[in-house]
Amino acid sequence: MWAAAVFSDIMDEQGTKHRILMVSDFFFPNFGGVESHIYYLSQCLLKLGHKVVVMTHAYGNRSGVRYVTNGLKVYYVPWRPFLMQNTLPTLFLTFPIVRTIIVREKIYVVHGHQAFSTLCHEALMHARTMGYKVVFTDHSLYGFADAGSIHMNKVLQFTLADIDQAICVSHTSKENTVLRSGISPEKVFMVPNAVDTAMFTPSPKRLSCDEIVIVVISRLVYRKGADLLVEVIPEVCRLFPKVRFIVGGDGPKRVRLEEMREKFSLQDRVEMLGAVPHAQVRSVLISGHIFLNSSLTEAFCIAILEAASCGLLTVSTRVGGVPEVLPDDMIVLAEPAPGDMVRAAKKAIDMLPGIDPQIMHLRISYLRILGSKTVLPSYDHQLPTMAPFRIHTAFVLIHIQGIPQHFLWKLPVSEL
């Protein structure tokens, strides 16, 4: 990785390596953005020579210690999820196993992921009690009015009261986290997600526009706008006879999509794939022209970046941090309402003849490479004024996960 040499020089001037414990209820074999984020971040840190251990709860028969790619050690602790892949809050019952893992693996830093993860909150609390450095990454946006959000915000205030650093994936997410938790903005870093462009490449042969394929890959839950899809898909199919949909993902709202397909007799135009393993996401994406994201709330949405890297034009709801992800000529934004989503789909279909998937992929790849030339010297200049732990945490994650977008996303195509 292009940042490896820089990290090695800056972080390990005395030859020391770090031992990091990643903690979250969400990890493989479950599929999702948080799971992928933890896995790829861990792999990058391993390549830099650091020791990384992951702690999550048991998934089915997967319990105990497992080793995955490049020797990444995963503790599937014998706790079973009780709601949305979250373990039952116990407050102190997790302390013995958290302490055992930290002491056994000689951990220096505990890094928790996702505000909705019970295991994350408890591990951060126990690690801070033991005097270890702790970092928290927030991957989602939450409100302030409903009962669930009020409860979660109170938990967040308690958990983050004494953390060392917090990381958010967009400016919108940072503002949301600061307001919800009361943490000092100086402790919060905005580190956008990134995609491995080598894994998400366009189809070598450009698809014909005689039949336009719109791809949806998402968890079929309320927060991801599955109910919105139920209203948008039939209307788009009615207005555009040459359009068909491929829907990948699973969840409680899949039944509604199946019922919609039966009601409007769209079996030949709406293909339901079910859960799609991350390794097969590219093969699904390159079979389409347009990527549709209907989320009702989103801190970043890495799926949009994956689709753009595969050369797809994106139609998305204008929510959360989504407007920060791509420039205007690569995404069509709409309000989370059926009528506006249909209008955005029509605009995207009209734009398709001018979209070159290879150029879109090159732009994403070029921006990633350019980051090492424009961003690294800027941070290198600021290092002497930074606290030591800030160097060890924020600087690493900034370069591993992504590139600050205000440097990069507005580059014209002529720069390629």
Side-chain angles (χ1 to χ4, degrees):
M1 176 169 263
W2 51 264
V6 178
F7 298 144
S8 298
D9 293 341
I10 294 173
M11 295 182 60
D12 303 312
E13 294 174 351
Q14 299 178 353
T16 59
K17 296 295 181 181
H18 295 279
R19 294 172 177 265
I20 305 162
L21 175 64
M22 302 283 183
V23 185
S24 181
D25 280 301
F26 309 100
F27 193 65
F28 296 146
N30 195 46
F31 295 105
V34 178
E35 293 85 347
S36 300
H37 173 94
I38 297 172
Y39 173 78
Y40 287 116
L41 176 57
S42 300
Q43 292 297 323
C44 290
L45 289 168
L46 286 171
K47 289 180 181 178
L48 297 175
H50 306 289
K51 179 179 178 63
V52 183
V53 179
V54 177
M55 175 182 172
T56 187
H57 64 71
Y59 281 90
N61 295 327
R62 189 183 292 253
S63 181
V65 179
R66 301 289 183 97
Y67 287 86
V68 296
T69 309
N70 293 328
L72 176 61
K73 191 174 184 179
V74 184
Y75 283 87
Y76 290 95
V77 300
W79 265 264
R80 301 293 177 182
F82 84 106
L83 177 64
M84 296 177 64
Q85 293 301 334
N86 274 280
T87 52
L88 182 70
T90 60
L91 199 61
F92 293 109
L93 294 183
T94 50
F95 177 73
I97 195 165
V98 170
R99 180 186 179 278
T100 298
I101 294 174
I102 290 176
V103 173
R104 176 187 295 173
E105 302 295 340
K106 300 179 181 177
I107 297 299
Y108 300 160
V109 180
V110 177
H111 189 169
H113 294 262
Q114 186 63 310
F116 198 65
S117 171
T118 303
L119 203 58
C120 163
H121 288 292
E122 295 186 359
L124 292 182
M125 181 184 68
H126 299 323
R128 200 68 194 102
T129 302
M130 296 170 65
Y132 289 92
K133 297 289 188 179
V134 296
V135 184
F136 171 74
T137 296
D138 201 352
H139 295 266
S140 301
L141 298 177
Y142 292 91
F144 301 87
D146 59 285
S149 295
I150 293 172
H151 170 73
M152 182 55 62
N153 294 345
K154 291 297 182 182
V155 173
L156 206 62
Q157 290 174 14
F158 177 79
T159 306
L160 304 190
D162 195 32
I163 67 166
D164 295 281
Q165 308 269 292
I167 299 169
C168 296
V169 295
S170 66
H171 292 291
T172 303
S173 175
K174 176 179 177 178
E175 181 180 1
N176 181 262
T177 300
V178 169
L179 291 174
R180 288 162 47 221
S181 66
I183 187 175
S184 170
E186 295 180 355
K187 287 187 176 182
V188 184
F189 290 84
M190 197 290 285
V191 184
N193 287 320
V195 62
D196 186 352
T197 53
M199 291 182 58
F200 293 92
T201 56
S203 173
K205 186 176 180 181
R206 187 166 181 174
L207 300 178
S208 171
C209 288
D210 294 338
E211 182 186 51
I212 297 173
V213 179
I214 300 179
V215 178
V216 179
I217 299 182
S218 171
R219 292 193 302 275
L220 301 181
V221 296
Y222 172 78
R223 191 173 68 85
K224 292 294 184 178
D227 296 301
L228 192 57
L229 286 176
V230 171
E231 300 186 51
V232 171
I233 291 177
E235 185 64 14
V236 172
C237 289
R238 184 184 68 83
L239 293 175
F240 305 99
K242 63 178 182 179
V243 170
R244 70 181 181 91
F245 285 82
I246 297 177
V247 181
D250 205 352
K253 295 291 184 179
R254 179 176 179 175
V255 176
R256 287 209 63 195
L257 286 168
E258 297 279 7
E259 291 174 347
M260 174 272 295
R261 193 169 66 157
E262 295 289 336
K263 178 180 178 180
F264 294 96
S265 301
L266 295 175
Q267 290 87 344
D268 59 334
R269 299 182 63 185
V270 180
E271 182 180 357
M272 303 291 294
L273 300 180
V276 179
H278 193 260
Q280 299 176 18
V281 168
R282 176 191 172 269
S283 62
V284 177
L285 289 173
I286 62 174
S287 63
H289 303 80
I290 297 172
F291 179 78
L292 178 61
N293 172 54
S294 59
S295 294
L296 302 180
T297 175
E298 200 74 69
F300 185 88
C301 192
I302 196 170
I304 291 177
L305 214 52
E306 294 172 348
S309 183
C310 288
L312 276 71
L313 180 63
T314 299
V315 174
S316 176
T317 47
R318 188 186 285 105
V319 295
V322 170
E324 302 177 33
V325 179
L326 293 172
D328 295 339
D329 59 336
M330 297 175 71
I331 186 171
V332 180
L333 296 173
E335 297 302 321
D340 209 35
M341 289 291 290
V342 173
R343 177 202 59 77
K346 180 180 184 305
K347 181 179 178 181
I349 291 172
D350 293 338
M351 292 171 59
L352 273 182
I355 299 296
D356 189 330
Q358 298 296 335
I359 290 181
M360 290 186 71
H361 175 75
L362 287 174
R363 288 180 70 184
I364 300 293
S365 303
Y366 179 75
L367 297 177
R368 183 186 179 201
I369 295 171
L370 184 64
S372 61
K373 300 178 181 179
T374 60
V375 181
L376 291 178
S378 173
Y379 283 101
D380 188 47
H381 177 70
Q382 299 176 27
L383 286 177
T385 63
M386 286 183 166
F389 184 67
R390 182 167 299 183
I391 295 173
H392 294 170
T393 306
F395 190 72
V396 173
L397 299 174
I398 283 169
H399 294 85
I400 290 179
Q401 293 184 53
I403 302 166
Q405 295 160 353
H406 61 276
F407 280 98
L408 306 176
W409 288 133
K410 303 306 179 183
L411 287 176
V413 179
S414 59
E415 293 287 336
L416 296 174

